[in-house]
Amino acid sequence: MSELTEFEFPTFQRSAFSGPESEFYFDLVRLEGRPDIPRGFPHRHDYYHLLWMSEAAGSHMLDFEHYEARANAVFFVSPGQLHAWESTVRPKGFVVNFSTEFFVQMFPRAEEIAQYPFFHIASNSPVLYLDQAQHDALLPILLEMEKEMLGRAEAHLDIVRAYLLVLLSRLRRLYPRPADDGAPAHSHSLTKRFCLLIDRHYLEFGPLRDYAERLFVTERQLNDAVKRTLGKTAGQLVQDRLVLEAKRLLSNTDMGIAEIAFQLRFEDHAYFGRFFKKHTRLTPGEFRKRYCGAVPRPSLA
């Protein structure tokens, strides 16, 4: 990792749990018995990160939102998201890390990824709180993955990939659907594809028309689908993504506010300031002070 500047947070480019020499695709470790877990300092990963908490009591910050960390909680963290968590009791459970390559091997098409809502900007929540029976029913899948990773027999990664697909599919069944579940299936699909497009092109595309044309629908059809599925307008989703990127730049770099505004395609940094405050109730400077002024910096030695 590069040397940290004043406002940078570390990015883990590969999971260290699999060992320093191995090529990283997938690893799984238990939470208990590891002094480096939980990581209470803000950081991000270049890979997918699943936290399976059998026992915990604390808080998990994910992209500046705070969620309860408790027993039978499952957290889903996508590459690039800023997060930190802590627990007042020694946590028990598993950390499951897998690379983007490993994920793509399971879901080669974008529409397949869109069916799994937890690793996505349009998800209702990045956490799933299980009851005890649900936790106990799914735990054997993690134990089987652990057995394969420890044994490292022939084709163990193929078997682990199959178990992971089963685990994510079972969790998808338990994941709460949007409140307005009367939306047709095509509305859900269109919304997910729209969100994938936002994540890739929010700095390149201009008006909503650009997205609609790429999705081969009208602006009205796109807006109606998003409203039915998420209760927001399509334009709000684009704005939400801009706000999130602004938060990341403010908290993770020492770029000036005018520079950040320019990078996010705002011609006027004063307008950027008003835009940011409208969505966060904080000026960019106030936000930076809140999230950077008292943040502990980890040792990278």
Side-chain angles (χ1 to χ4, degrees), residues 17 21 63 69 88 96 104 147 153 181 183 191 249 253 257 266 271 293-294:
F17 300 143
E21 302 299 329
D63 275 338
T88 57
V96 181
V104 168
K147 184 189 300 183
D181 203 32
T191 299
L249 291 171
T253 76
I257 292 171
F266 286 86
Y271 173 67

Side-chain angles (χ1 to χ4, degrees), residues 3 5 18 26 29 40-41 46 50 68 89 91 114 134 143 152 164 168 186 193 212 228 234 293 300:
E3 184 179 350
T5 61
S18 56
F26 176 95
V29 296
F41 57 88
D46 277 348
L50 186 149
E68 183 184 6
V89 301
Q134 292 167 339
L143 296 175
R152 296 189 177 275
L164 181 59
L168 293 177
H186 67 82
R193 288 188 290 123
R228 291 193 195 102
L300 298 183

Side-chain angles (χ1 to χ4, degrees), residues 6 13 18 21 63 88 91 102 105 107 112 114 117 145 166 170 177 196 200 234-235 248 254 266 284:
E6 181 183 359
Q13 298 176 349
S18 56
E21 302 299 329
D63 275 338
T88 57
F102 196 87
Q105 287 173 359
F107 308 111
E112 292 177 332
M145 286 195 288
V166 170
R170 294 281 296 276
R177 294 187 177 275
L196 287 170
R200 293 172 186 159
R248 289 175 172 175
D254 56 4
F266 286 86

Side-chain angles (χ1 to χ4, degrees), residues 250-287:
L250 286 165
S251 64
N252 190 48
T253 76
D254 56 4
M255 293 170 61
I257 292 171
E259 189 179 358
I260 290 174
F262 178 77
Q263 181 159 325
L264 296 179
R265 306 297 193 266
F266 286 86
E267 295 182 2
D268 180 357
H269 74 272
Y271 173 67
F272 166 69
R274 294 193 297 272
F275 170 85
F276 188 84
K277 186 170 184 178
K278 176 183 176 183
H279 288 273
T280 66
R281 298 184 180 179
L282 296 171
T283 67
E286 289 169 342
F287 180 87

Side-chain angles (χ1 to χ4, degrees), residues 205-212 219:
F205 286 6
L208 197 60
R209 179 179 65 252
D210 292 348
Y211 293 95
E219 292 179 59

Side-chain angles (χ1 to χ4, degrees), residues 20 183 229 256:
T229 306

